[in-house]
Amino acid sequence: PNEVAAAASDVIEVTDDTIDDVLGADGTKGDFLLEFYAPFCKFCKLLKPTWEQLATHFKHKGIGVVALDATPPSEAATRFAFKGYPHIRFVTGGRVYQYRQKGRSFEQLLEFATGGYERFPWTAYPRRGSSAPTSPHMPSKRDAAAASAPPPQPRQQQQQQQQQQQQQ
């Protein structure tokens, strides 16, 4: 009679068994803000209201907010190779970006999830059975310029080759 019903959560809770069902076996099923936590962790408990707020904010905006209890022995914790809780990553297009800022405010995490992640190193999504992610890829100005430039057309390629030959 005096029990208060728990509020419905927009956070997507996953386990070692369900993480790939949600994110995709190769991390390409969508865009996800992912927290690895431990129930005993004081900082995880402090982050929980912000994580809930982010989940509600992103609910209909194409970014899933995911939480995984990574208490050992956690296969996902081994795959994603991290130390310390809470550990925050952004998963998109098969890439995993590690959050590397000191603060964990709503505004900081919102900025990270809406493009700020591109400033951080990424690794390929670790597939089930792997023990650790690949070496991080550090973003550079050249990468950003290459990503935003349209691919050359065949005629442009031909002209570029001719110009290069003339310069030699």
Side-chain angles (χ1 to χ4, degrees):
N2 291 336
E3 294 177 28
V4 177
S9 175
D10 293 321
V11 173
I12 304 163
E13 287 282 342
V14 296
T15 65
D16 284 343
D17 293 333
T18 63
I19 187 170
D20 289 339
D21 295 337
V22 175
L23 278 59
D26 57 359
T28 59
K29 213 168 182 180
D31 296 338
F32 298 94
L33 192 56
L34 173 62
E35 174 200 15
F36 295 93
Y37 72 93
F40 58 80
C41 167
K42 164 177 98 169
F43 299 107
C44 300
K45 291 175 186 177
L46 291 171
L47 179 62
K48 189 169 180 144
T50 302
W51 209 248
E52 291 285 349
Q53 187 180 6
L54 287 161
T56 300
H57 176 81
F58 286 127
K59 186 175 183 177
H60 299 292
K61 296 183 177 155
I63 296 176
V65 177
V66 179
L68 182 135
D69 177 350
T71 307
S74 167
E75 186 265 344
T78 302
R79 280 171 52 193
F80 283 85
F82 66 89
K83 295 175 183 156
Y85 301 104
H87 191 80
I88 299 167
R89 304 273 176 107
F90 188 77
V91 178
T92 183
R95 293 181 177 183
V96 181
Y97 296 85
Q98 181 177 338
Y99 183 72
R100 291 188 171 185
Q101 288 180 218
K102 294 207 186 262
R104 296 184 192 105
S105 72
F106 174 82
E107 292 77 17
Q108 288 171 310
L109 293 168
L110 179 72
E111 192 273 332
F112 175 67
T114 55
Y117 62 86
E118 293 173 341
R119 295 189 323 262
F120 294 88
W122 60 269
T123 57
Y125 185 86
R127 293 178 182 262
R128 186 172 296 281
S130 66
S131 59
T134 59
S135 297
H137 174 81
M138 302 301 286
S140 69
K141 291 180 182 175
R142 184 177 174 192
D143 289 342
S148 63
Q153 299 300 316
R155 184 179 177 120
Q156 288 174 321
Q157 287 174 336
Q158 202 172 36
Q159 288 173 344
Q160 287 172 350
Q161 288 173 349
Q162 289 172 354
Q163 288 172 352
Q164 287 172 353
Q165 289 171 354
Q166 289 173 358
Q167 290 173 355
Q168 293 175 352

